[in-house]
Amino acid sequence: MTQEDTRQSGYNIHWRRNLAVCFAGSFSTLIAMTLLLPFLPLYVEQLGAQGHAAIVQWSGIAYGATFFAAAMVAPLWGRLGDRYGRKVMLVRASFGMAICMSLTGMVETVWQLVLLRLLIGFAGGYSSGSTILVAMQTPKDRSGWALGVLSAGITAGSLVGPLLGGALPPVIGIRATFLLSGGVIFLAFLATTFLIKETPRPKAAKAASAAKPKSGWSQIPDKRPVVAMLTTGMLLAFATMSIEPIITVYVQQLIEDQSRVTLVAGVVMSAAALGTILSASWLGKLADRVGHWNVVVGALAVSALLLIPQAFVTDSWQLIGLRFLMGLALGGLLPCITSVIRHNVPDGVGGNVLGLAISAQYVGQVAGPLTGGFVGGHFGMPAVFLGTSVLMAGGAVYNWIVQSRRTRHMLLEAGEPLRDSPKSAIEGPRYHESR
């Protein structure tokens, strides 16, 4: 197949190498971004914060600043990626993150730390940019598997980062840890610059987009699948993060030896991440065969069921096992959400719309802990699990209704019997173009 053929078919003959670089880059940058979690309060105290309340408050502000800034600019970077190339966005993100992360190890005040965390959010987004590049330049019938592999790398980075963050500062110091993180991200910048090969958009498509400067949203022929996936992505992040603030307190109620609380809580949090890592690529591959939307509905329904017994566990090992099973169920959600969006938007605005999806997930990440903490504090820990279960079940029903109505409408338009439900009708009209 020639380069011109790949432009016409919408994917890149180098997609496997691009996936490998994006996997390694996302894994390493997520390690660098999350390794500060164990020692962030200590660093804030070194920078002048006094008193427990001030240290906790400034730590929360510094950590949340990155995600707040990233949510604001994700659609912008996606739109610019559609116009100027998605590799350029990855190069920009990795270089900016390398500089800002290195400078973080040189700050002298808490305000400087918060400012640099904001700049990391504005300049960063390597993992989200990788998701967009892989989604847009991978063959559509392999997109679920490829995005599952990438999702596993992202989750693994988030899991390994805090572990290294607990081990490195006692050995090399906090400031040197930030400098080392900047160096690791700079290696990702070099690999991205020299190894990723992006297929450029055809000149005709560029001319058309220049002649008709419409918003990405207005160019989507059928917005129902995209709205459903934006909602589902926000719900997933909300449901996942709503549990995080109460896990340590919940574990305190389940074990007698209180000296093991933090250890057991860490295992509980890691169990879900481990399940996600193990299942992401497999569920993505399954979705390529049976339909991405079907896996979304099934994963939401199974996770809703698994949340119910979590409200009534009597021992920590029960909670660990249930969180692991939930991680297995949720592993395919993000790859499938991205794939459904990819199948239902024009190539020229894919980055723009996927940027909106990333912003929606950030909204869920912010709202989830706030809501979970409030509900747990006022109504008890079981109420958080049960309330989240209701939300996940509602998401499954909502997606099933949208999927069924859209499938019925498309089959009627095509003049096919309603008893037939081909995957192409579920995934969207663009799916046929990839077969």
Side-chain angles (χ1 to χ4, degrees):
M1 181 177 286
T2 65
Q3 288 284 353
E4 184 61 30
D5 291 333
T6 60
R7 291 191 184 98
Q8 296 301 325
S9 59
Y11 72 88
N12 192 324
I13 60 174
H14 303 292
W15 67 272
R16 289 182 178 85
R17 181 170 67 181
N18 291 348
L19 173 61
V21 175
C22 288
F23 177 94
S26 297
F27 176 72
S28 59
T29 54
L30 259 296
I31 287 177
M33 291 294 291
T34 59
L35 58 76
L36 85 165
L37 282 173
F39 61 81
L40 181 59
L42 300 177
Y43 197 41
V44 168
E45 186 177 14
Q46 287 183 14
L47 295 176
Q50 297 181 350
H52 177 75
I55 292 172
V56 172
Q57 178 181 347
W58 281 111
S59 297
I61 293 173
Y63 186 69
T66 296
F67 299 102
F68 172 79
M72 297 291 290
V73 299
L76 172 63
W77 294 139
R79 188 178 305 116
L80 293 177
D82 287 334
R83 181 173 299 179
Y84 300 109
R86 295 165 186 110
K87 175 182 174 178
V88 174
M89 294 298 104
L90 292 183
V91 171
R92 171 202 56 75
S94 54
F95 184 75
M97 292 168 66
I99 298 299
C100 292
M101 187 62 73
S102 300
L103 291 176
T104 303
M106 306 176 188
V107 298
E108 299 294 336
T109 66
V110 178
W111 280 105
Q112 293 173 354
L113 175 63
V114 173
L115 176 61
L116 278 170
R117 292 290 295 173
L118 277 171
L119 291 178
I120 289 173
F122 283 127
Y126 187 95
S127 59
S128 57
S130 294
T131 300
I132 294 174
L133 186 143
V134 170
M136 299 305 297
Q137 299 221 329
T138 299
K140 291 183 182 179
D141 58 352
R142 301 296 301 279
S143 62
W145 173 81
L147 289 166
V149 171
L150 182 61
S151 177
I154 293 172
T155 306
S158 300
L159 182 62
V160 173
L163 298 178
L164 290 179
L168 285 177
V171 178
I172 63 175
I174 291 178
R175 294 185 181 273
T177 299
F178 281 114
L179 295 175
L180 178 62
S181 301
V184 170
I185 299 177
F186 187 75
L187 292 178
F189 158 74
L190 293 177
T192 302
T193 302
F194 295 107
L195 296 180
I196 286 183
K197 303 294 182 183
E198 181 181 12
T199 300
R201 293 175 60 194
K203 294 181 180 180
K206 293 180 180 179
S209 61
K212 298 179 180 179
K214 298 191 298 182
S215 67
W217 191 255
S218 65
Q219 297 182 48
I220 303 173
D222 185 354
K223 298 177 176 59
R224 289 173 296 178
V226 177
V227 172
M229 292 304 106
L230 293 179
T231 304
T232 303
M234 183 168 59
L235 173 63
L236 170 63
F238 180 93
T240 303
M241 297 304 295
S242 66
I243 308 297
E244 295 296 319
I246 70 163
I247 282 182
T248 301
V249 180
Y250 197 41
V251 168
Q252 282 182 316
Q253 302 174 3
L254 298 175
I255 64 175
E256 295 181 1
D257 185 1
Q258 295 298 298
S259 64
R260 298 173 55 244
V261 168
T262 55
L263 173 63
V264 175
V267 174
V268 171
M269 295 179 186
S270 300
L274 178 61
T276 298
I277 293 170
L278 294 177
S279 69
S281 61
W282 181 83
L283 285 176
K285 187 175 182 179
L286 175 67
D288 288 333
R289 295 201 308 267
V290 304
H292 303 98
W293 219 331
N294 291 331
V295 173
V296 169
V297 174
L300 289 172
V302 171
S303 63
L305 293 175
L306 288 171
L307 279 163
I308 296 174
Q310 291 178 48
F312 304 105
V313 295
T314 57
D315 204 318
S316 58
W317 67 265
Q318 298 170 350
L319 184 60
I320 292 171
L322 288 168
R323 295 300 293 174
F324 175 74
L325 292 175
M326 188 169 172
L328 288 176
L330 295 178
L333 265 184
L334 282 180
C336 289
I337 289 170
T338 305
S339 294
V340 172
I341 294 175
R342 170 70 182 98
H343 285 285
N344 288 278
V345 300
D347 289 345
V349 297
N352 187 0
V353 179
L354 288 171
L356 291 174
I358 292 165
S359 288
Q361 293 161 27
Y362 280 130
V363 171
Q365 286 181 338
V366 174
L370 295 176
T371 306
F374 177 83
V375 173
H378 289 79
F379 302 100
M381 307 302 165
V384 180
F385 292 99
L386 296 177
T388 304
S389 174
V390 171
L391 286 176
M392 298 296 269
V397 173
Y398 166 67
N399 275 278
W400 180 79
I401 291 173
V402 174
Q403 175 196 28
S404 299
R405 289 179 177 177
R406 187 164 180 272
T407 302
R408 180 183 180 89
H409 177 72
M410 294 181 65
L411 291 175
L412 288 173
E413 281 190 342
E416 298 182 30
L418 293 179
R419 63 177 180 272
D420 296 329
S421 296
K423 183 170 69 169
S424 58
I426 295 172
E427 299 297 347
R430 294 186 58 79
Y431 189 83
H432 274 309
E433 299 172 15
S434 69
R435 301 301 287 178

